[in-house]
Amino acid sequence: MSAATRAQDAVSALLEARRTGRALERFPAPVPATLADAYAMQQGLLAALGGRVLGWKVGRIPPAMVAALGAERLAGPILRCAELDGDAPGEARVFAGGAGAIEAEVMLRLRAVPDRPLAADDDTRSWVDAIHAGFEIASSPAPDVHAHAPFGIIADIGINNGLLVGPRLDAADFDRLEVTTAIDGAQMGTGRACDILDGPWGSLRFLVGLHHDSVIRLEPGQWISAGAITGVHPITPGQSATAHFGDRVRIACTAIPDPGA
């Protein structure tokens, strides 16, 4: 059996699991072993799932692998997005028996796609027309996906399972707000967006670079989920999460079993 055929078998297993909402016993072999192979598998799964790409999530490469891979971040497509309605909790779909987590993040809406890669001293924020608080739902039908980071995570569409977009944040200081995440009332982590690598604008520059390298395709109006601020917090169906962005914004969600697409 050729390597391409085996890779397609892995895509088919992930596709069936995501379509049915059923967890896998383990990440399907073969797990890609390079970033190029992982993004190629991601594109195959994305094409098979179909639907419009509503945005892109940004995650982190494990620190011990950064030097060898020459990258600090990874990307995955967003296929589901919902607005949070006031204080009412949103629904976070996670794969029962798989891997599930909630991440408090800032969401940047892309005004237009830059016509060139962006440098640190460019006015990156001029390409964004809205900044909101939100949750990324990170869930995979493979319970051991994190054991195969970053390659398995990238391949399984960045293990993104939707965004919950909350209230607008003030562009003047959104990245310096103290963010706190709790699950079932227990505090899980705190942080500020500006302290994660080179911040949300760095995440956008990373994605613009991937776009110009033809790894992903950005489009105007897409949301950029710019990276976990307080950490990646495991969550299972029935649990609830809240996040505070300073003393101005509170968002909430409850995890439910993913019924499949």
Coordinates of all heavy atoms in Angstrom, one line a residue, residues 103-145:
E103 N -10.8 27.2 25.2 CA -9.7 28.2 25.2 C -10.3 29.6 25.1 O -11.0 29.9 24.1 CB -8.7 27.9 24.1 CG -8.1 26.5 24.0 CD -7.3 26.3 22.8 OE1 -6.8 27.2 22.2 OE2 -7.0 25.1 22.5
A104 N -10.0 30.4 26.0 CA -10.4 31.8 26.0 C -9.4 32.5 25.0 O -8.2 32.5 25.2 CB -10.4 32.5 27.4
E105 N -9.9 33.2 24.0 CA -9.1 33.9 23.0 C -9.7 35.2 22.6 O -10.9 35.5 22.8 CB -8.9 33.0 21.8 CG -8.5 31.5 22.2 CD -7.9 30.8 21.0 OE1 -7.7 31.4 20.0 OE2 -7.6 29.6 21.2
V106 N -8.9 36.0 21.9 CA -9.4 37.2 21.2 C -9.6 36.8 19.8 O -8.8 36.0 19.2 CB -8.5 38.4 21.3 CG1 -8.4 38.9 22.8 CG2 -7.1 38.1 20.8
M107 N -10.7 37.3 19.2 CA -11.1 37.0 17.8 C -10.9 38.3 17.0 O -11.5 39.3 17.3 CB -12.5 36.5 17.8 CG -12.9 35.5 18.8 SD -12.0 33.9 18.4 CE -12.4 32.9 19.9
L108 N -10.1 38.2 16.0 CA -9.9 39.3 15.1 C -10.6 39.0 13.8 O -10.5 37.9 13.2 CB -8.4 39.4 14.8 CG -7.4 39.4 15.9 CD1 -6.0 39.4 15.4 CD2 -7.7 40.6 16.9
R109 N -11.4 40.0 13.3 CA -12.1 39.8 12.0 C -11.3 40.5 10.9 O -11.0 41.7 11.0 CB -13.5 40.4 12.1 CG -14.3 40.0 10.8 CD -15.8 40.4 11.0 NE -15.9 41.8 11.1 CZ -17.0 42.5 11.5 NH1 -18.0 41.8 12.0 NH2 -17.0 43.8 11.6
L110 N -11.0 39.7 9.9 CA -10.1 40.2 8.8 C -10.9 41.1 7.9 O -11.9 40.7 7.3 CB -9.6 39.0 8.0 CG -8.3 39.1 7.2 CD1 -7.1 39.6 8.0 CD2 -8.0 37.8 6.5
R111 N -10.4 42.4 7.8 CA -11.0 43.3 6.9 C -10.7 43.1 5.4 O -11.6 43.2 4.5 CB -10.6 44.8 7.3 CG -11.1 45.9 6.4 CD -10.5 47.2 6.7 NE -9.1 47.2 6.5 CZ -8.5 47.4 5.3 NH1 -9.2 47.5 4.2 NH2 -7.2 47.4 5.2
A112 N -9.5 42.7 5.2 CA -9.0 42.4 3.8 C -7.7 41.6 4.0 O -7.1 41.5 5.1 CB -8.7 43.7 3.1
V113 N -7.3 40.9 2.9 CA -6.2 40.1 3.0 C -5.0 40.9 2.5 O -5.0 41.4 1.4 CB -6.3 38.9 2.0 CG1 -5.1 38.0 2.1 CG2 -7.6 38.0 2.5
P114 N -3.9 41.0 3.4 CA -2.7 41.7 3.0 C -2.1 41.2 1.7 O -2.1 40.0 1.4 CB -1.8 41.5 4.2 CG -2.7 41.3 5.3 CD -3.8 40.5 4.8
D115 N -1.6 42.1 0.9 CA -1.1 41.7 -0.4 C 0.4 41.2 -0.4 O 1.0 41.0 -1.4 CB -1.3 42.8 -1.5 CG -0.6 44.1 -1.0 OD1 0.1 44.1 0.1 OD2 -0.7 45.1 -1.7
R116 N 0.9 41.1 0.8 CA 2.3 40.7 1.0 C 2.4 40.2 2.4 O 1.6 40.5 3.3 CB 3.2 41.9 0.9 CG 3.0 43.0 2.0 CD 3.7 44.3 1.7 NE 3.6 45.2 2.9 CZ 2.5 45.8 3.3 NH1 1.3 45.7 2.6 NH2 2.5 46.6 4.4
P117 N 3.4 39.4 2.7 CA 3.7 39.0 4.1 C 4.0 40.3 5.0 O 4.5 41.3 4.5 CB 5.0 38.2 4.0 CG 5.0 37.7 2.6 CD 4.4 38.8 1.8
L118 N 3.6 40.2 6.2 CA 3.7 41.4 7.1 C 4.9 41.3 8.0 O 5.1 40.2 8.6 CB 2.4 41.6 7.9 CG 1.1 41.8 7.1 CD1 -0.1 41.9 8.1 CD2 1.2 43.1 6.3
A119 N 5.6 42.4 8.2 CA 6.7 42.4 9.2 C 6.2 43.0 10.5 O 5.2 43.6 10.6 CB 7.9 43.2 8.6
A120 N 7.0 42.8 11.5 CA 6.6 43.2 12.9 C 6.4 44.7 12.9 O 5.5 45.2 13.8 CB 7.7 42.8 13.9
D121 N 7.0 45.5 12.1 CA 6.8 47.0 12.2 C 5.8 47.5 11.3 O 5.5 48.7 11.2 CB 8.2 47.7 11.9 CG 8.8 47.3 10.6 OD1 8.3 46.4 9.9 OD2 9.8 48.0 10.2
D122 N 5.1 46.5 10.5 CA 3.9 46.9 9.7 C 2.7 47.2 10.6 O 2.6 46.8 11.7 CB 3.6 45.8 8.7 CG 4.6 45.7 7.6 OD1 5.2 46.7 7.2 OD2 4.8 44.6 7.1
D123 N 1.8 48.0 10.0 CA 0.6 48.3 10.8 C -0.4 47.2 10.6 O -1.4 47.3 9.9 CB 0.0 49.6 10.3 CG -1.2 50.1 11.1 OD1 -1.4 49.5 12.2 OD2 -2.0 51.0 10.7
T124 N -0.1 46.1 11.3 CA -0.9 44.9 11.2 C -2.4 45.1 11.5 O -3.3 44.6 10.8 CB -0.4 43.8 12.1 OG1 1.0 43.6 11.8 CG2 -1.1 42.4 11.8
R125 N -2.7 45.9 12.5 CA -4.1 46.1 12.9 C -4.9 46.8 11.9 O -6.2 46.7 11.9 CB -4.1 46.9 14.2 CG -3.7 48.4 14.1 CD -3.7 49.0 15.5 NE -2.7 48.4 16.4 CZ -2.8 48.2 17.7 NH1 -3.9 48.7 18.3 NH2 -1.9 47.7 18.4
S126 N -4.3 47.4 10.9 CA -5.1 48.1 9.8 C -5.9 47.1 9.0 O -6.8 47.4 8.2 CB -4.2 49.0 8.9 OG -3.3 48.2 8.2
W127 N -5.5 45.8 9.1 CA -6.2 44.8 8.3 C -7.3 44.1 9.0 O -8.0 43.2 8.5 CB -5.1 43.7 7.9 CG -4.0 44.2 7.0 CD1 -2.8 44.6 7.4 CD2 -4.1 44.5 5.6 NE1 -2.1 45.1 6.4 CE2 -2.8 45.1 5.3 CE3 -5.1 44.3 4.6 CZ2 -2.5 45.5 4.0 CZ3 -4.8 44.7 3.3 CH2 -3.5 45.3 3.0
V128 N -7.6 44.6 10.2 CA -8.7 44.0 11.1 C -9.8 45.1 11.3 O -9.4 46.2 11.6 CB -8.1 43.6 12.4 CG1 -9.1 43.2 13.4 CG2 -7.2 42.3 12.2
D129 N -11.0 44.7 11.2 CA -12.1 45.7 11.4 C -13.0 45.4 12.7 O -13.9 46.1 13.0 CB -13.0 45.8 10.2 CG -13.8 44.5 9.9 OD1 -13.7 43.5 10.7 OD2 -14.4 44.4 8.8
A130 N -12.7 44.3 13.4 CA -13.4 44.1 14.7 C -12.5 43.1 15.5 O -11.8 42.3 15.0 CB -14.7 43.4 14.4
I131 N -12.6 43.4 16.9 CA -11.9 42.6 17.8 C -12.9 42.2 18.9 O -13.6 43.0 19.5 CB -10.8 43.3 18.5 CG1 -9.8 43.8 17.4 CG2 -10.0 42.5 19.5 CD1 -8.7 44.8 17.9
H132 N -13.1 40.8 19.2 CA -14.1 40.4 20.1 C -13.4 39.4 21.1 O -12.4 38.8 20.8 CB -15.2 39.7 19.4 CG -16.1 40.6 18.7 ND1 -17.4 40.7 18.9 CD2 -15.9 41.4 17.6 CE1 -18.0 41.6 18.1 NE2 -17.1 42.0 17.3
A133 N -14.1 39.2 22.2 CA -13.7 38.1 23.1 C -14.4 36.8 22.6 O -15.4 36.9 21.9 CB -14.2 38.4 24.6
G134 N -13.9 35.7 23.0 CA -14.5 34.4 22.6 C -13.9 33.2 23.1 O -12.8 33.3 23.8
F135 N -14.5 32.1 22.8 CA -13.9 30.8 23.1 C -13.6 30.0 21.8 O -14.4 30.1 20.8 CB -15.0 29.9 23.8 CG -15.2 30.2 25.3 CD1 -16.4 30.5 25.7 CD2 -14.1 30.2 26.2 CE1 -16.7 30.8 27.1 CE2 -14.3 30.4 27.5 CZ -15.6 30.8 28.0
E136 N -12.4 29.4 21.7 CA -12.2 28.4 20.7 C -12.6 27.0 21.4 O -12.1 26.7 22.5 CB -10.8 28.3 20.2 CG -10.7 27.3 19.1 CD -9.3 26.7 18.9 OE1 -8.3 27.2 19.4 OE2 -9.2 25.6 18.2
I137 N -13.3 26.2 20.7 CA -13.6 24.9 21.1 C -12.6 24.0 20.4 O -12.6 23.9 19.1 CB -15.1 24.4 20.7 CG1 -16.1 25.5 21.3 CG2 -15.4 23.1 21.3 CD1 -17.3 25.6 20.5
A138 N -11.8 23.3 21.1 CA -10.7 22.5 20.6 C -11.1 21.0 20.9 O -11.0 20.6 22.1 CB -9.3 22.8 21.1
S139 N -11.5 20.3 19.9 CA -11.9 18.9 20.1 C -11.6 18.0 18.9 O -11.8 18.4 17.8 CB -13.4 18.9 20.5 OG -13.8 17.6 20.9
S140 N -11.2 16.8 19.2 CA -10.9 15.8 18.2 C -11.5 14.5 18.6 O -11.6 14.1 19.8 CB -9.4 15.6 18.1 OG -9.0 14.5 17.3
P141 N -12.0 13.7 17.6 CA -12.4 12.4 17.9 C -11.3 11.4 18.4 O -11.6 10.3 18.9 CB -13.1 11.9 16.6 CG -12.5 12.7 15.6 CD -12.1 14.0 16.2
A142 N -10.1 11.8 18.2 CA -9.0 11.0 18.6 C -8.5 11.4 20.0 O -8.0 12.5 20.2 CB -7.8 11.1 17.7
P143 N -8.7 10.5 21.0 CA -8.4 10.9 22.4 C -6.9 11.2 22.7 O -6.6 11.9 23.6 CB -8.9 9.7 23.2 CG -8.9 8.5 22.3 CD -9.2 9.1 20.9
D144 N -6.1 10.6 21.8 CA -4.6 10.8 22.0 C -4.0 11.8 21.1 O -2.8 11.8 20.9 CB -3.9 9.4 21.9 CG -4.1 8.8 20.4 OD1 -5.0 9.3 19.7 OD2 -3.4 7.9 20.0
V145 N -4.8 12.7 20.6 CA -4.3 13.6 19.5 C -3.1 14.5 20.1 O -2.2 14.7 19.4 CB -5.4 14.5 19.0 CG1 -6.0 15.4 20.0 CG2 -4.9 15.3 17.8

